Amino acid sequence: MRFHRLAAATALVSVLTLTATACGGGSSSEGGDNSAPKELTYWASNQGTSLENDKQVLEPELRKFEQQTGIKVKLEVVPWSDLLNRILAATASGQGPDVLNIGNTWSASLQATGALLPFDETTFGKIGGKDRFTPSTIASAGAAGKDPAAVPLYSMAYGLYYNKKLFQEAGIAQPPATWDELVTDAQKLTKDGKFGLAIEGGNVSENVHHAFAFGKQHGADWFDAAGKPAFATPEAVAAVKQYVDFIAKDKIAAPGNAEYAANQSVTDFASGKAAMLMWQAAGASLKSHGMAPEDYAVAPIPLPAGATGAKATTSMVAGINLAVFKNTKNTDGALQFVKFMTSTEEQVQLNKTYGSIPPVKEAQADPAFSTPELKTLATVLQTSAAPLPQVANESQFETLVGTAVKNLLAAAASGKPVTEESVKAELTKAQQQMPAN
């Protein structure tokens, strides 16, 4: 999932204090029914190159569903910049869709509103069972110990993309496996106006995703056992400083990267201005920029030397979940739609189109997902990816910590020293702005 959420997360602070009435075209607080059995409304997130592209992808599949069930689905593709605000307004007003896409990192926050239909054992049984899904994707569908608030639809993970030609020219035989190797390699590659690494420093979501994964490698959990924020621990400070030092100390990323917020780092990598890129399922974007698959390769994000257990995390679990509003007017139809969208056939079709990884295990066996890029990312998802903290205030965590990292990168780009003290001060300020549970 990649988008901007500053205003949306601010709105979430207030909406979480409400008793959500949920949606589905009515305002009943009693839960869903089947009073409109022949229709559904569906809010899809923008996964393709444009809203129109998503309509072209999804509408034939929705017609297929209608032919199978007799249920007509009214589709609206919502831009990422609007989606969370739209959902929050719907949970507060009781007016909204029956089924919708949500960023998987929102799951626990939206679960806390009470607006989403819980997927308990019985509900999972109606869509084919919980065991069909990759465990890490289920772990990012709601708070631990509670029934998931959604089911996985599209999955992604971060990988290290590297330019094979630039590596060969620099005499680098293989991708870096540790951070020391990455910095050494990137410094060799930083010359003649090109940089070893491109980062998206103005993008709050990108920043917090890397802060989280780096934090896991350093032993930071970001929240304590009681669910209280722990942003300024020595482990969290070390993780954020490591990331900011790509510009501040190591000088392997261009200072201008601190302002990148519209996928410019992908463009720089595709055009050869940067030799490495940490990104989620970038293949489709790189192709659109004219970079052929044979020009690059993908490896797991590096680790500290000797890292094991939770410290061997290389990615957050990225992706999109599919949720049902609790008071839908077509509960049975909504679950039929979820079953259809998560069927093996549809999982292959949709994830192949969008360049993502199916969270349904059986669909991953399709040859479409056997490319070197997707095989690497699927392995990351299964073996070294961890869900972001599944707490009610997760969205505020993303905004506040992501913004703190953005501020530190901006300081580094302007030539200001970035020290452990300055990193701790910025993270402490972020923690102080977190709302009480």
Side-chain angles (χ1 to χ4, degrees), residues 27-86:
S27 58
S28 169
S29 60
E30 298 301 318
D33 57 41
N34 289 301
S35 58
K38 293 299 181 182
E39 59 186 40
L40 291 170
T41 53
Y42 173 41
W43 285 357
S45 52
N46 179 200
Q47 301 301 127
T49 57
S50 66
L51 302 184
E52 187 58 37
N53 172 250
D54 281 308
K55 292 177 183 178
Q56 293 170 357
V57 170
L58 293 171
E59 284 177 346
E61 307 311 308
L62 302 186
R63 287 195 293 272
K64 188 189 305 181
F65 175 74
E66 183 178 2
Q67 290 170 356
Q68 292 177 8
T69 64
I71 301 171
K72 183 174 181 62
V73 180
K74 181 180 179 182
L75 170 68
E76 181 179 356
V77 182
V78 184
W80 278 113
S81 57
D82 298 338
L83 184 58
L84 184 55
N85 275 332
R86 292 278 302 276

Short mmCIF file of all heavy atoms in Angstrom, two decimals, residues 27-86:
data_model
loop_
_atom_site.label_atom_id
_atom_site.label_comp_id
_atom_site.label_asym_id
_atom_site.label_seq_id
_atom_site.Cartn_x
_atom_site.Cartn_y
_atom_site.Cartn_z
N SER A 27 -28.58 2.96 8.05
CA SER A 27 -27.95 3.40 9.28
C SER A 27 -28.29 2.53 10.47
O SER A 27 -28.12 2.92 11.60
CB SER A 27 -28.37 4.85 9.58
OG SER A 27 -29.77 4.94 9.68
N SER A 28 -28.77 1.35 10.22
CA SER A 28 -29.11 0.45 11.32
C SER A 28 -27.88 0.10 12.13
O SER A 28 -26.83 -0.17 11.59
CB SER A 28 -29.72 -0.84 10.76
OG SER A 28 -29.82 -1.81 11.76
N SER A 29 -28.00 0.11 13.43
CA SER A 29 -26.90 -0.28 14.30
C SER A 29 -27.02 -1.74 14.72
O SER A 29 -26.24 -2.23 15.53
CB SER A 29 -26.85 0.61 15.54
OG SER A 29 -28.05 0.49 16.26
N GLU A 30 -27.99 -2.45 14.17
CA GLU A 30 -28.23 -3.82 14.57
C GLU A 30 -27.42 -4.82 13.77
O GLU A 30 -27.48 -6.01 14.01
CB GLU A 30 -29.73 -4.14 14.41
CG GLU A 30 -30.64 -3.29 15.29
CD GLU A 30 -30.33 -3.46 16.76
OE1 GLU A 30 -30.09 -4.60 17.19
OE2 GLU A 30 -30.32 -2.44 17.48
N GLY A 31 -26.70 -4.35 12.80
CA GLY A 31 -25.94 -5.27 11.96
C GLY A 31 -26.63 -5.48 10.63
O GLY A 31 -27.70 -4.96 10.36
N GLY A 32 -25.98 -6.31 9.78
CA GLY A 32 -26.45 -6.46 8.41
C GLY A 32 -27.69 -7.31 8.29
O GLY A 32 -28.14 -7.95 9.23
N ASP A 33 -28.26 -7.29 7.09
CA ASP A 33 -29.40 -8.15 6.79
C ASP A 33 -29.31 -8.51 5.32
O ASP A 33 -28.27 -8.37 4.70
CB ASP A 33 -30.72 -7.44 7.13
CG ASP A 33 -30.90 -6.12 6.42
OD1 ASP A 33 -30.55 -6.04 5.21
OD2 ASP A 33 -31.38 -5.15 7.05
N ASN A 34 -30.40 -9.01 4.77
CA ASN A 34 -30.44 -9.40 3.36
C ASN A 34 -31.63 -8.76 2.66
O ASN A 34 -32.25 -9.36 1.80
CB ASN A 34 -30.50 -10.93 3.25
CG ASN A 34 -29.19 -11.58 3.64
OD1 ASN A 34 -28.16 -11.31 3.05
ND2 ASN A 34 -29.23 -12.43 4.66
N SER A 35 -31.92 -7.50 3.03
CA SER A 35 -33.10 -6.84 2.48
C SER A 35 -32.88 -6.34 1.05
O SER A 35 -33.83 -5.94 0.39
CB SER A 35 -33.50 -5.66 3.38
OG SER A 35 -32.43 -4.74 3.51
N ALA A 36 -31.63 -6.33 0.57
CA ALA A 36 -31.36 -5.95 -0.83
C ALA A 36 -30.49 -7.04 -1.45
O ALA A 36 -29.30 -6.83 -1.71
CB ALA A 36 -30.66 -4.60 -0.88
N PRO A 37 -31.06 -8.23 -1.68
CA PRO A 37 -30.25 -9.40 -2.05
C PRO A 37 -29.69 -9.38 -3.46
O PRO A 37 -28.87 -10.24 -3.79
CB PRO A 37 -31.24 -10.55 -1.87
CG PRO A 37 -32.57 -9.94 -2.12
CD PRO A 37 -32.48 -8.57 -1.55
N LYS A 38 -30.11 -8.45 -4.30
CA LYS A 38 -29.70 -8.48 -5.70
C LYS A 38 -28.73 -7.36 -6.06
O LYS A 38 -28.47 -7.13 -7.24
CB LYS A 38 -30.94 -8.40 -6.61
CG LYS A 38 -31.83 -9.63 -6.53
CD LYS A 38 -31.08 -10.90 -6.96
CE LYS A 38 -31.97 -12.13 -6.91
NZ LYS A 38 -31.22 -13.36 -7.28
N GLU A 39 -28.18 -6.67 -5.04
CA GLU A 39 -27.25 -5.58 -5.38
C GLU A 39 -26.20 -5.40 -4.28
O GLU A 39 -26.43 -5.72 -3.12
CB GLU A 39 -28.01 -4.27 -5.59
CG GLU A 39 -28.80 -3.82 -4.37
CD GLU A 39 -29.66 -2.59 -4.65
OE1 GLU A 39 -30.25 -2.53 -5.75
OE2 GLU A 39 -29.74 -1.73 -3.77
N LEU A 40 -25.06 -4.91 -4.71
CA LEU A 40 -23.97 -4.58 -3.81
C LEU A 40 -23.28 -3.32 -4.30
O LEU A 40 -23.25 -3.05 -5.52
CB LEU A 40 -22.92 -5.70 -3.77
CG LEU A 40 -23.28 -7.03 -3.12
CD1 LEU A 40 -22.19 -8.06 -3.41
CD2 LEU A 40 -23.48 -6.87 -1.61
N THR A 41 -22.71 -2.56 -3.39
CA THR A 41 -21.83 -1.46 -3.76
C THR A 41 -20.42 -1.82 -3.29
O THR A 41 -20.23 -2.39 -2.21
CB THR A 41 -22.26 -0.14 -3.12
OG1 THR A 41 -22.39 -0.31 -1.70
CG2 THR A 41 -23.60 0.31 -3.68
N TYR A 42 -19.44 -1.49 -4.12
CA TYR A 42 -18.06 -1.88 -3.85
C TYR A 42 -17.14 -0.69 -4.08
O TYR A 42 -17.11 -0.11 -5.16
CB TYR A 42 -17.67 -3.04 -4.78
CG TYR A 42 -16.22 -3.45 -4.76
CD1 TYR A 42 -15.49 -3.53 -3.57
CD2 TYR A 42 -15.56 -3.81 -5.94
CE1 TYR A 42 -14.16 -3.93 -3.56
CE2 TYR A 42 -14.25 -4.22 -5.94
CZ TYR A 42 -13.54 -4.28 -4.76
OH TYR A 42 -12.23 -4.67 -4.75
N TRP A 43 -16.40 -0.31 -3.04
CA TRP A 43 -15.36 0.71 -3.16
C TRP A 43 -14.02 0.00 -3.35
O TRP A 43 -13.53 -0.68 -2.44
CB TRP A 43 -15.28 1.57 -1.90
CG TRP A 43 -16.39 2.57 -1.76
CD1 TRP A 43 -17.41 2.82 -2.63
CD2 TRP A 43 -16.59 3.45 -0.64
NE1 TRP A 43 -18.24 3.79 -2.14
CE2 TRP A 43 -17.75 4.21 -0.92
CE3 TRP A 43 -15.91 3.67 0.55
CZ2 TRP A 43 -18.24 5.17 -0.04
CZ3 TRP A 43 -16.40 4.63 1.43
CH2 TRP A 43 -17.54 5.37 1.14
N ALA A 44 -13.45 0.15 -4.53
CA ALA A 44 -12.14 -0.44 -4.82
C ALA A 44 -11.07 0.63 -4.70
O ALA A 44 -11.30 1.80 -5.01
CB ALA A 44 -12.14 -1.03 -6.23
N SER A 45 -9.91 0.24 -4.24
CA SER A 45 -8.77 1.16 -4.18
C SER A 45 -8.10 1.23 -5.55
O SER A 45 -8.22 0.33 -6.38
CB SER A 45 -7.77 0.68 -3.13
OG SER A 45 -7.42 -0.68 -3.33
N ASN A 46 -7.40 2.32 -5.78
CA ASN A 46 -6.71 2.54 -7.05
C ASN A 46 -5.42 1.71 -7.08
O ASN A 46 -4.41 2.08 -6.50
CB ASN A 46 -6.40 4.03 -7.22
CG ASN A 46 -5.66 4.37 -8.50
OD1 ASN A 46 -5.04 5.41 -8.58
ND2 ASN A 46 -5.71 3.51 -9.49
N GLN A 47 -5.47 0.58 -7.77
CA GLN A 47 -4.31 -0.30 -7.87
C GLN A 47 -3.57 -0.17 -9.20
O GLN A 47 -2.40 -0.54 -9.29
CB GLN A 47 -4.75 -1.76 -7.71
CG GLN A 47 -5.44 -2.08 -6.41
CD GLN A 47 -4.61 -1.79 -5.19
OE1 GLN A 47 -5.04 -1.09 -4.28
NE2 GLN A 47 -3.40 -2.29 -5.17
N GLY A 48 -4.27 0.29 -10.23
CA GLY A 48 -3.68 0.35 -11.56
C GLY A 48 -3.06 1.69 -11.86
O GLY A 48 -2.78 2.50 -10.97
N THR A 49 -2.83 1.95 -13.13
CA THR A 49 -2.18 3.18 -13.56
C THR A 49 -3.09 4.40 -13.46
O THR A 49 -2.63 5.53 -13.47
CB THR A 49 -1.67 3.04 -15.00
OG1 THR A 49 -2.78 2.69 -15.86
CG2 THR A 49 -0.63 1.94 -15.11
N SER A 50 -4.40 4.16 -13.35
CA SER A 50 -5.36 5.26 -13.23
C SER A 50 -6.68 4.68 -12.74
O SER A 50 -6.87 3.46 -12.71
CB SER A 50 -5.59 5.93 -14.59
OG SER A 50 -6.22 5.02 -15.49
N LEU A 51 -7.60 5.56 -12.35
CA LEU A 51 -8.93 5.09 -11.94
C LEU A 51 -9.62 4.39 -13.10
O LEU A 51 -10.30 3.37 -12.91
CB LEU A 51 -9.77 6.27 -11.45
CG LEU A 51 -9.21 7.09 -10.29
CD1 LEU A 51 -10.23 8.15 -9.86
CD2 LEU A 51 -8.85 6.22 -9.10
N GLU A 52 -9.46 4.93 -14.28
CA GLU A 52 -10.09 4.33 -15.46
C GLU A 52 -9.50 2.96 -15.75
O GLU A 52 -10.22 2.02 -16.13
CB GLU A 52 -9.92 5.24 -16.67
CG GLU A 52 -10.68 4.79 -17.91
CD GLU A 52 -12.18 4.66 -17.68
OE1 GLU A 52 -12.73 5.48 -16.93
OE2 GLU A 52 -12.79 3.73 -18.25
N ASN A 53 -8.19 2.82 -15.56
CA ASN A 53 -7.55 1.51 -15.76
C ASN A 53 -8.14 0.47 -14.81
O ASN A 53 -8.41 -0.67 -15.20
CB ASN A 53 -6.05 1.64 -15.54
CG ASN A 53 -5.33 0.30 -15.54
OD1 ASN A 53 -4.85 -0.16 -14.51
ND2 ASN A 53 -5.25 -0.35 -16.69
N ASP A 54 -8.38 0.86 -13.55
CA ASP A 54 -8.97 -0.07 -12.59
C ASP A 54 -10.37 -0.48 -13.02
O ASP A 54 -10.76 -1.65 -12.87
CB ASP A 54 -9.03 0.57 -11.20
CG ASP A 54 -7.69 0.53 -10.50
OD1 ASP A 54 -7.10 -0.54 -10.40
OD2 ASP A 54 -7.23 1.60 -10.06
N LYS A 55 -11.14 0.46 -13.54
CA LYS A 55 -12.49 0.11 -14.01
C LYS A 55 -12.40 -0.91 -15.15
O LYS A 55 -13.19 -1.86 -15.22
CB LYS A 55 -13.22 1.36 -14.47
CG LYS A 55 -13.57 2.33 -13.34
CD LYS A 55 -14.24 3.58 -13.87
CE LYS A 55 -14.52 4.58 -12.76
NZ LYS A 55 -15.13 5.83 -13.27
N GLN A 56 -11.43 -0.71 -16.04
CA GLN A 56 -11.27 -1.64 -17.16
C GLN A 56 -10.88 -3.03 -16.68
O GLN A 56 -11.28 -4.04 -17.27
CB GLN A 56 -10.21 -1.10 -18.12
CG GLN A 56 -10.62 0.17 -18.84
CD GLN A 56 -9.48 0.82 -19.61
OE1 GLN A 56 -8.34 0.35 -19.57
NE2 GLN A 56 -9.77 1.90 -20.32
N VAL A 57 -10.11 -3.09 -15.60
CA VAL A 57 -9.70 -4.38 -15.03
C VAL A 57 -10.85 -5.05 -14.28
O VAL A 57 -11.10 -6.25 -14.45
CB VAL A 57 -8.49 -4.18 -14.08
CG1 VAL A 57 -8.21 -5.46 -13.29
CG2 VAL A 57 -7.26 -3.74 -14.85
N LEU A 58 -11.57 -4.28 -13.47
CA LEU A 58 -12.53 -4.87 -12.54
C LEU A 58 -13.91 -5.12 -13.13
O LEU A 58 -14.58 -6.10 -12.76
CB LEU A 58 -12.66 -3.97 -11.31
CG LEU A 58 -11.42 -3.88 -10.41
CD1 LEU A 58 -11.62 -2.80 -9.36
CD2 LEU A 58 -11.14 -5.22 -9.75
N GLU A 59 -14.36 -4.25 -14.02
CA GLU A 59 -15.74 -4.39 -14.49
C GLU A 59 -16.03 -5.72 -15.18
O GLU A 59 -17.09 -6.31 -14.95
CB GLU A 59 -16.11 -3.20 -15.38
CG GLU A 59 -16.38 -1.94 -14.53
CD GLU A 59 -16.68 -0.71 -15.37
OE1 GLU A 59 -16.43 -0.74 -16.59
OE2 GLU A 59 -17.16 0.29 -14.78
N PRO A 60 -15.11 -6.27 -16.00
CA PRO A 60 -15.39 -7.60 -16.57
C PRO A 60 -15.52 -8.68 -15.49
O PRO A 60 -16.33 -9.61 -15.63
CB PRO A 60 -14.18 -7.85 -17.47
CG PRO A 60 -13.66 -6.50 -17.81
CD PRO A 60 -13.88 -5.68 -16.58
N GLU A 61 -14.74 -8.55 -14.41
CA GLU A 61 -14.83 -9.53 -13.33
C GLU A 61 -16.16 -9.39 -12.57
O GLU A 61 -16.76 -10.40 -12.17
CB GLU A 61 -13.65 -9.38 -12.37
CG GLU A 61 -12.28 -9.40 -13.04
CD GLU A 61 -12.11 -10.56 -13.99
OE1 GLU A 61 -12.37 -11.72 -13.58
OE2 GLU A 61 -11.73 -10.33 -15.16
N LEU A 62 -16.61 -8.16 -12.41
CA LEU A 62 -17.89 -7.94 -11.72
C LEU A 62 -19.06 -8.45 -12.55
O LEU A 62 -20.03 -8.98 -12.00
CB LEU A 62 -18.07 -6.45 -11.40
CG LEU A 62 -16.97 -5.80 -10.55
CD1 LEU A 62 -17.34 -4.38 -10.19
CD2 LEU A 62 -16.68 -6.63 -9.32
N ARG A 63 -18.95 -8.34 -13.86
CA ARG A 63 -20.00 -8.89 -14.72
C ARG A 63 -20.00 -10.43 -14.62
O ARG A 63 -21.06 -11.07 -14.64
CB ARG A 63 -19.80 -8.44 -16.17
CG ARG A 63 -20.14 -6.96 -16.39
CD ARG A 63 -20.29 -6.64 -17.86
NE ARG A 63 -19.01 -6.76 -18.58
CZ ARG A 63 -18.13 -5.76 -18.70
NH1 ARG A 63 -18.39 -4.58 -18.16
NH2 ARG A 63 -17.02 -5.94 -19.38
N LYS A 64 -18.81 -11.00 -14.49
CA LYS A 64 -18.71 -12.45 -14.32
C LYS A 64 -19.41 -12.87 -13.02
O LYS A 64 -20.13 -13.87 -12.98
CB LYS A 64 -17.23 -12.85 -14.29
CG LYS A 64 -16.98 -14.35 -14.31
CD LYS A 64 -15.51 -14.67 -14.07
CE LYS A 64 -14.59 -13.97 -15.05
NZ LYS A 64 -13.16 -14.34 -14.79
N PHE A 65 -19.18 -12.11 -11.97
CA PHE A 65 -19.83 -12.39 -10.68
C PHE A 65 -21.35 -12.28 -10.81
O PHE A 65 -22.10 -13.12 -10.28
CB PHE A 65 -19.32 -11.43 -9.62
CG PHE A 65 -20.01 -11.55 -8.28
CD1 PHE A 65 -19.75 -12.62 -7.44
CD2 PHE A 65 -20.93 -10.59 -7.87
CE1 PHE A 65 -20.39 -12.74 -6.21
CE2 PHE A 65 -21.57 -10.69 -6.64
CZ PHE A 65 -21.30 -11.77 -5.81
N GLU A 66 -21.81 -11.26 -11.53
CA GLU A 66 -23.26 -11.08 -11.71
C GLU A 66 -23.86 -12.26 -12.47
O GLU A 66 -24.95 -12.75 -12.15
CB GLU A 66 -23.54 -9.78 -12.45
CG GLU A 66 -25.03 -9.49 -12.61
CD GLU A 66 -25.32 -8.17 -13.31
OE1 GLU A 66 -24.36 -7.49 -13.70
OE2 GLU A 66 -26.52 -7.83 -13.46
N GLN A 67 -23.14 -12.74 -13.49
CA GLN A 67 -23.63 -13.88 -14.26
C GLN A 67 -23.73 -15.13 -13.39
O GLN A 67 -24.65 -15.95 -13.55
CB GLN A 67 -22.71 -14.14 -15.46
CG GLN A 67 -22.78 -13.06 -16.52
CD GLN A 67 -21.68 -13.20 -17.56
OE1 GLN A 67 -20.81 -14.07 -17.47
NE2 GLN A 67 -21.70 -12.32 -18.57
N GLN A 68 -22.81 -15.27 -12.45
CA GLN A 68 -22.79 -16.46 -11.60
C GLN A 68 -23.84 -16.40 -10.50
O GLN A 68 -24.38 -17.43 -10.09
CB GLN A 68 -21.40 -16.62 -10.96
CG GLN A 68 -20.30 -16.97 -11.95
CD GLN A 68 -18.93 -17.05 -11.27
OE1 GLN A 68 -18.83 -16.99 -10.04
NE2 GLN A 68 -17.88 -17.17 -12.07
N THR A 69 -24.14 -15.21 -10.00
CA THR A 69 -24.97 -15.08 -8.79
C THR A 69 -26.26 -14.31 -8.99
O THR A 69 -27.16 -14.38 -8.13
CB THR A 69 -24.18 -14.38 -7.68
OG1 THR A 69 -23.88 -13.03 -8.10
CG2 THR A 69 -22.88 -15.12 -7.37
N GLY A 70 -26.34 -13.54 -10.05
CA GLY A 70 -27.50 -12.67 -10.24
C GLY A 70 -27.42 -11.39 -9.43
O GLY A 70 -28.36 -10.59 -9.42
N ILE A 71 -26.28 -11.14 -8.78
CA ILE A 71 -26.10 -9.94 -7.95
C ILE A 71 -25.31 -8.90 -8.73
O ILE A 71 -24.20 -9.15 -9.18
CB ILE A 71 -25.37 -10.28 -6.64
CG1 ILE A 71 -26.16 -11.32 -5.84
CG2 ILE A 71 -25.14 -9.02 -5.81
CD1 ILE A 71 -25.40 -11.86 -4.63
N LYS A 72 -25.90 -7.72 -8.89
CA LYS A 72 -25.23 -6.63 -9.61
C LYS A 72 -24.35 -5.85 -8.63
O LYS A 72 -24.79 -5.50 -7.53
CB LYS A 72 -26.25 -5.70 -10.26
CG LYS A 72 -25.63 -4.59 -11.10
CD LYS A 72 -26.72 -3.80 -11.81
CE LYS A 72 -26.10 -2.69 -12.67
NZ LYS A 72 -25.22 -3.24 -13.72
N VAL A 73 -23.13 -5.55 -9.05
CA VAL A 73 -22.20 -4.82 -8.20
C VAL A 73 -21.95 -3.44 -8.79
O VAL A 73 -21.52 -3.31 -9.95
CB VAL A 73 -20.86 -5.58 -8.06
CG1 VAL A 73 -19.90 -4.79 -7.16
CG2 VAL A 73 -21.07 -6.97 -7.50
N LYS A 74 -22.24 -2.42 -8.01
CA LYS A 74 -21.96 -1.05 -8.42
C LYS A 74 -20.56 -0.69 -7.95
O LYS A 74 -20.27 -0.66 -6.75
CB LYS A 74 -22.98 -0.08 -7.81
CG LYS A 74 -22.77 1.36 -8.23
CD LYS A 74 -23.82 2.27 -7.60
CE LYS A 74 -23.58 3.72 -8.00
NZ LYS A 74 -24.58 4.63 -7.36
N LEU A 75 -19.67 -0.40 -8.89
CA LEU A 75 -18.25 -0.17 -8.60
C LEU A 75 -17.93 1.32 -8.52
O LEU A 75 -18.37 2.10 -9.35
CB LEU A 75 -17.39 -0.80 -9.71
CG LEU A 75 -15.90 -0.47 -9.71
CD1 LEU A 75 -15.20 -1.10 -8.51
CD2 LEU A 75 -15.25 -0.94 -11.02
N GLU A 76 -17.15 1.68 -7.51
CA GLU A 76 -16.53 2.99 -7.47
C GLU A 76 -15.06 2.79 -7.10
O GLU A 76 -14.75 2.18 -6.07
CB GLU A 76 -17.19 3.91 -6.45
CG GLU A 76 -16.55 5.30 -6.43
CD GLU A 76 -17.19 6.26 -5.45
OE1 GLU A 76 -18.19 5.88 -4.81
OE2 GLU A 76 -16.67 7.38 -5.29
N VAL A 77 -14.16 3.28 -7.94
CA VAL A 77 -12.73 3.24 -7.63
C VAL A 77 -12.37 4.55 -6.93
O VAL A 77 -12.60 5.63 -7.47
CB VAL A 77 -11.87 3.05 -8.89
CG1 VAL A 77 -10.39 2.96 -8.50
CG2 VAL A 77 -12.31 1.81 -9.66
N VAL A 78 -11.84 4.44 -5.73
CA VAL A 78 -11.56 5.61 -4.90
C VAL A 78 -10.05 5.84 -4.84
O VAL A 78 -9.30 4.92 -4.51
CB VAL A 78 -12.12 5.43 -3.47
CG1 VAL A 78 -11.91 6.70 -2.65
CG2 VAL A 78 -13.60 5.05 -3.53
N PRO A 79 -9.57 7.04 -5.12
CA PRO A 79 -8.13 7.32 -5.02
C PRO A 79 -7.63 7.10 -3.60
O PRO A 79 -8.37 7.32 -2.62
CB PRO A 79 -8.02 8.79 -5.42
CG PRO A 79 -9.30 9.13 -6.11
CD PRO A 79 -10.33 8.22 -5.54
N TRP A 80 -6.38 6.70 -3.46
CA TRP A 80 -5.81 6.51 -2.13
C TRP A 80 -5.86 7.78 -1.30
O TRP A 80 -6.02 7.74 -0.09
CB TRP A 80 -4.37 6.00 -2.24
CG TRP A 80 -4.29 4.53 -2.47
CD1 TRP A 80 -3.85 3.90 -3.60
CD2 TRP A 80 -4.65 3.50 -1.55
NE1 TRP A 80 -3.93 2.54 -3.44
CE2 TRP A 80 -4.42 2.27 -2.19
CE3 TRP A 80 -5.16 3.50 -0.26
CZ2 TRP A 80 -4.67 1.05 -1.58
CZ3 TRP A 80 -5.41 2.28 0.36
CH2 TRP A 80 -5.16 1.07 -0.30
N SER A 81 -5.72 8.91 -1.95
CA SER A 81 -5.71 10.17 -1.21
C SER A 81 -7.05 10.46 -0.53
O SER A 81 -7.13 11.24 0.41
CB SER A 81 -5.36 11.33 -2.16
OG SER A 81 -6.26 11.37 -3.25
N ASP A 82 -8.12 9.81 -1.00
CA ASP A 82 -9.47 10.04 -0.47
C ASP A 82 -10.02 8.87 0.33
O ASP A 82 -10.98 9.02 1.10
CB ASP A 82 -10.46 10.32 -1.61
CG ASP A 82 -10.12 11.58 -2.40
OD1 ASP A 82 -9.42 12.44 -1.86
OD2 ASP A 82 -10.56 11.68 -3.56
N LEU A 83 -9.43 7.68 0.15
CA LEU A 83 -10.10 6.47 0.60
C LEU A 83 -10.32 6.42 2.11
O LEU A 83 -11.44 6.16 2.56
CB LEU A 83 -9.30 5.23 0.15
CG LEU A 83 -9.95 3.87 0.47
CD1 LEU A 83 -11.34 3.76 -0.15
CD2 LEU A 83 -9.06 2.73 -0.02
N LEU A 84 -9.31 6.68 2.91
CA LEU A 84 -9.50 6.57 4.35
C LEU A 84 -10.50 7.60 4.86
O LEU A 84 -11.36 7.28 5.69
CB LEU A 84 -8.16 6.70 5.08
CG LEU A 84 -8.21 6.50 6.59
CD1 LEU A 84 -8.84 5.16 6.97
CD2 LEU A 84 -6.83 6.62 7.21
N ASN A 85 -10.43 8.82 4.37
CA ASN A 85 -11.41 9.83 4.78
C ASN A 85 -12.82 9.41 4.41
O ASN A 85 -13.77 9.62 5.18
CB ASN A 85 -11.08 11.19 4.15
CG ASN A 85 -10.07 11.96 4.97
OD1 ASN A 85 -9.97 11.80 6.17
ND2 ASN A 85 -9.31 12.82 4.31
N ARG A 86 -12.98 8.82 3.23
CA ARG A 86 -14.31 8.36 2.80
C ARG A 86 -14.81 7.25 3.73
O ARG A 86 -15.99 7.21 4.10
CB ARG A 86 -14.24 7.84 1.36
CG ARG A 86 -13.98 8.90 0.29
CD ARG A 86 -15.24 9.64 -0.10
NE ARG A 86 -16.29 8.77 -0.59
CZ ARG A 86 -16.38 8.34 -1.86
NH1 ARG A 86 -15.46 8.70 -2.75
NH2 ARG A 86 -17.37 7.56 -2.23
#
